[in-house]
Amino acid sequence: MDNNNTHGFPLLDKIASPADLRRLPVTDLEKLSSEIRRKLLEVVAANGGHLAPNLGVVELTIALHYIFNTPDDKLVWDVGHQGYVHKLLTGRGDIFKSLRQTNGCLGFLSREESPEFDVIGAGHAGTAISAALGLAVARDRRGSREKVVAVVGDGSLNCGISLEGLNNISEATKDLIIILNDNKMSISQNVGAIPRYLNRIISGQSYNRFKTFMKNLFKWIPGWSKVIRKISRLEEATKSLLVPGVFFEELGIRYIGPIDGHDFQELIRTIDGVKNFRRPVIVHVITEKGHGYPHAEAAPEKFHGLSSFDPDTGICNGDGKDGTTFSKAFGMTMEELAEPADNLAVITAAMRSGTGLKEFSEKFPGKFHDVGIAEEHAVVFAAGLAAGGIRPVVAIYATFLQRALDCVFHDICLQNLPVIICCDRSGIVDDGPTHHGINDLGFLRALPNLSILSPKNETELRSMIFAAWQHPGPTVIRYPRGSSGVPFKNDTPPVEIPWGKAEVVKNGNDLAVWAFGRETQTAVAAAKILEEKHGLSATVVNSRFLKPLDEKLLFEHAAKMRIVTIEDHQTRGGLAAEIDELLINAEKRQIIHFGWGHDVVPHGNTSEIRKAYKLTPEAIAEKIAAAQTQ
């Protein structure tokens, strides 16, 4: 791909809707795909985002909008980070340059952003088949005839939701098209039996060519139709041995493929050919993650989702900077723990790199399990390991843990099994509502036997992991994306953390600010402003634990001064709610809570979002000072 092309985007700039795309001759589509790849590289290099999966789906997205009459026909995307090309072709070319920026183009698919083309929003994996099936059944009941197409990709077929949807299709509709975008990866390399099965299909595609050749040959033989019928019956009896895609065929879904997802001629011929099928069909499309950009082709995992980078070198703007993130500190601590702990098992759901476990997986392969995009399975698998005498640590993003909350309750907490869940990306993130980790505590806080912790920095995370290792019950440790900015220290024994005890970071007389996790730094900064600007002396508490909360210390503070809480979570479910419930019958001064409200927090730069929601140290200090004078 020519990264230095300065000729603009003459074809892409003419496309305000898929109708404009369909007016182009097929011979222009290759040039359009090149322009789109340059646009993707230009915008993602500047703003960050999901580059490799979108580079791989360029031709496929163009072909789908070229063949189907969108938006009358419905495209349902699985995992919204396949959707950048879809956005460019559906009237969002002008705002695409603001990708992932505050008040700009969302990095995932959203009905709010485009109700006409994003018929179902998408941010998490595994939803396309079930949502498309719902649309198809609704269409059938209305008696209309539009096509419904589910685009499943990035390893989502491994997901339990996808399999549940596949199981229901033949009972629910006769008209549904599934496009399987198979790039052999989710975020990390795909794992498990289903990807291996798809790989066998790919390697066995010569069978389909041979089958077509033989049918064409028999057409010249008198009575050929009878011969074909006999062969078909034989094939039906032996297809589990011979036929690619038998898994889908047995589910009542016609299998087509595999086909080259970067060959327009083959894509258009195949997709146009299945458009009028009157039975469910799955088209197996082989794509390359990062296609057309050598740096992404060589490192698709790195370029799956990344911050801004130099498009010429592929080097991210954060590469080489000092500082250890929470994710990195977690991975290093797991390595430290693994050396003496023969009974350790570390589990992740297709997030090996994102959770900081890449090096661990290479050093301790026997203690590492990547279960693919299967969060519920990851949690129940951990429960089984714990019941069998192994000590599991599950590394998972906060937004994805929500998909397995019933399993956390039913299989871990109710049975009081010593599973440690390390919950990365808690709090708000740039990606927006589908990925903010601010909704989980309201559920987790109510679960029996569960302890919930959050560290103020990476060094305290290490200490909390060691403390949880000694704890006999289930534990969740929540920490945010990025770094605290405090140097990580792991060259001395971890600091002992008394279970259920908070840490007083600073003593004061006028009010007590209780903070959860990294918000302890926000509290310290706000306390400094209160003292220097308003003459107020604030106690600052690193609560460390949400459950069990340090009730003794809380009641002592509440008896003599105002309580303030700060958290990177909804106030209706986290620290604020816990303290309100504990102090409901106590004689207390008015409590002030700082956190996220019940509305949907938008996407964008997290610093700008904090300013807009008045969750900066300056805004917090001003509100506290105003309340103290009343």
Side-chain angles (χ1 to χ4, degrees):
M1 183 166 59
D2 183 4
N3 300 333
N4 299 312
N5 191 321
T6 58
H7 299 301
F9 307 94
L11 286 176
L12 182 58
D13 288 344
K14 294 178 181 178
I15 296 175
S17 73
D20 297 323
L21 168 66
R22 290 189 282 269
R23 294 188 189 99
L24 295 178
V26 174
T27 52
D28 279 351
L29 298 185
E30 197 69 52
K31 182 179 178 182
L32 176 63
S33 68
S34 179
E35 290 185 16
I36 288 176
R37 283 196 169 87
R38 286 194 292 110
K39 173 64 81 171
L40 291 173
L41 187 59
E42 175 186 288
V43 173
V44 178
N47 299 349
H50 292 91
L51 182 63
N54 282 288
L55 288 173
V57 80
V58 173
E59 288 87 359
L60 175 59
T61 309
I62 293 172
L64 289 171
H65 280 292
Y66 197 77
I67 294 298
F68 291 103
N69 187 35
T70 54
D72 293 339
D73 292 333
K74 309 301 181 187
L75 297 184
V76 181
W77 295 89
D78 192 281
V79 190
H81 55 237
Q82 291 187 107
Y84 291 5
V85 186
H86 168 75
K87 287 174 182 276
L88 287 170
L89 298 176
T90 55
R92 284 168 276 183
D94 290 341
I95 67 166
F96 189 70
K97 60 180 178 294
S98 65
L99 180 71
R100 301 174 78 240
Q101 303 302 295
T102 305
N103 299 318
C105 186
L106 185 61
F108 294 90
L109 301 182
S110 166
R111 285 169 58 86
E112 183 178 355
E113 183 178 274
S114 181
E116 189 177 23
F117 289 102
D118 295 356
V119 60
I120 291 288
H124 294 176
T127 62
I129 293 174
S130 297
L133 182 57
L135 286 166
V137 171
R139 173 207 59 206
D140 295 345
R141 292 183 61 175
R142 290 194 314 269
S144 55
R145 297 185 61 83
E146 71 270 14
K147 306 303 292 187
V148 179
V149 183
V151 188
V152 181
D154 265 6
S156 296
L157 201 66
N158 305 2
C159 181
I161 305 172
S162 294
L163 296 176
E164 291 171 14
L166 285 172
N167 183 60
N168 189 221
I169 289 173
S170 65
E171 300 294 326
T173 187
K174 302 299 182 186
D175 188 2
L176 179 67
I177 298 171
I178 300 169
I179 304 295
L180 174 57
N181 171 27
D182 182 5
N183 57 27
K184 304 189 183 76
M185 296 191 72
S186 47
I187 294 173
S188 303
Q189 194 74 26
N190 276 343
V191 296
I194 290 176
R196 287 197 296 271
Y197 171 68
L198 295 177
N199 286 340
R200 285 199 301 273
I201 291 176
I202 295 167
S203 62
Q205 59 186 302
S206 58
Y207 174 82
N208 274 337
R209 290 195 293 266
F210 175 73
K211 178 178 165 183
T212 301
F213 169 77
M214 291 303 293
K215 282 188 176 181
N216 289 334
L217 179 63
F218 278 116
K219 285 182 180 180
W220 302 103
I221 299 176
W224 69 272
S225 58
K226 292 182 180 179
V227 175
I228 290 294
R229 281 197 297 271
K230 289 181 180 179
I231 291 176
S232 295
R233 285 196 292 269
L234 176 62
E235 178 190 71
E236 184 67 26
T238 61
K239 68 180 181 180
S240 61
L241 299 175
L242 300 173
V243 181
V246 65
F247 171 73
F248 305 105
E249 298 277 355
E250 292 291 348
L251 290 173
I253 304 168
R254 175 71 184 277
Y255 173 87
I256 303 292
I259 65 171
D260 184 349
H262 302 296
D263 183 332
F264 273 119
Q265 185 176 6
E266 188 172 11
L267 278 170
I268 291 173
R269 181 178 64 247
T270 303
I271 294 172
D272 192 50
V274 304
K275 186 171 64 172
N276 294 315
F277 273 28
R278 291 297 297 170
R279 62 171 295 184
V281 59
I282 188 165
V283 181
H284 188 177
V285 180
I286 308 301
T287 61
E288 179 187 32
K289 200 166 184 177
H291 187 78
Y293 181 51
H295 296 296
E297 290 174 354
E301 191 169 349
K302 172 185 175 181
F303 282 88
H304 171 84
L306 71 170
S307 60
S308 58
F309 64 97
D310 183 333
D312 294 325
T313 64
I315 297 175
C316 293
N317 291 333
D319 288 356
K321 291 185 178 180
D322 294 333
T324 300
T325 64
F326 281 95
S327 301
K328 179 69 173 176
F330 164 71
M332 294 170 70
T333 304
M334 287 297 99
E335 293 178 37
E336 184 180 356
L337 195 60
E339 293 287 356
D342 290 336
N343 61 334
L344 171 68
V346 179
I347 304 164
T348 187
M351 304 299 284
R352 181 182 66 155
S353 292
T355 56
L357 289 172
K358 186 175 187 296
E359 293 176 357
F360 178 93
S361 68
E362 294 166 350
K363 292 180 181 178
F364 303 97
K367 298 179 179 180
F368 175 76
H369 303 272
D370 185 344
V371 301
I373 302 176
E375 293 86 0
E376 300 93 332
H377 165 60
V379 168
V380 183
F381 175 47
L385 285 168
I390 300 298
R391 287 299 306 275
V393 178
V394 181
I396 195 167
Y397 285 10
T399 186
F400 301 138
L401 178 62
Q402 294 166 180
R403 313 185 96 195
L405 287 177
D406 177 63
C407 302
V408 175
F409 163 67
H410 178 272
D411 300 285
I412 293 178
C413 295
L414 202 59
Q415 303 177 68
N416 200 22
L417 291 169
V419 176
I420 301 171
I421 299 175
C422 287
C423 196
D424 202 331
R425 303 311 201 264
S426 65
I428 63 165
V429 293
D430 293 348
D431 284 327
T434 57
H435 282 61
H436 291 323
I438 61 174
N439 302 292
D440 55 301
L441 287 177
F443 185 91
L444 291 173
R445 200 166 55 86
L447 299 186
N449 300 315
L450 181 66
S451 298
I452 305 171
L453 296 75
S454 187
K456 65 183 179 183
N457 56 40
E458 292 82 356
T459 303
E460 190 169 62
L461 170 61
R462 173 177 176 251
S463 296
M464 285 183 174
I465 291 171
F466 275 88
W469 185 257
Q470 300 301 321
H471 183 66
T475 306
V476 168
I477 305 175
R478 302 175 79 253
Y479 45 92
R481 182 176 188 173
S483 169
S484 67
V486 177
F488 177 53
K489 297 179 181 179
N490 65 341
D491 54 354
T492 58
V495 174
E496 183 178 349
I497 296 180
W499 204 256
K501 295 299 179 182
E503 175 195 29
V504 177
V505 177
K506 175 185 176 298
N507 282 301
N509 302 314
D510 297 316
L511 65 142
V513 183
W514 280 63
F516 194 43
R518 190 173 59 179
E519 297 311 302
T520 302
Q521 294 183 45
T522 307
V524 169
K528 183 178 180 181
I529 296 170
L530 285 169
E531 187 168 357
E532 294 177 351
K533 187 175 179 180
H534 302 285
L536 293 172
S537 173
T539 291
V540 175
V541 179
N542 167 24
S543 65
R544 283 180 170 166
F545 293 81
L546 177 63
K547 187 185 176 192
L549 195 73
D550 192 339
E551 296 181 22
K552 182 175 182 293
L553 182 62
L554 175 66
F555 283 122
E556 288 176 3
H557 288 167
K560 58 186 177 183
M561 53 188 163
R562 183 193 298 274
I563 300 295
V564 175
T565 69
I566 306 177
E567 61 190 310
D568 194 358
H569 189 273
Q570 283 191 350
T571 56
R572 297 190 185 184
L575 178 64
E578 181 75 10
I579 287 179
D580 277 347
E581 291 170 14
L582 288 170
L583 297 180
I584 192 168
N585 295 317
E587 183 180 346
K588 61 183 184 298
R589 296 163 180 81
Q590 183 182 4
I591 302 174
I592 305 175
H593 297 308
F594 294 94
W596 305 106
H598 206 54
D599 56 332
V600 175
V601 180
H603 73 284
N605 181 277
T606 55
S607 297
E608 294 177 10
I609 295 174
R610 281 179 171 270
K611 288 179 182 178
Y613 280 74
K614 301 187 184 304
L615 289 177
T616 62
E618 295 78 11
I620 290 170
E622 290 302 318
K623 184 172 181 178
I624 293 172
Q628 288 293 100
T629 61
Q630 293 176 358

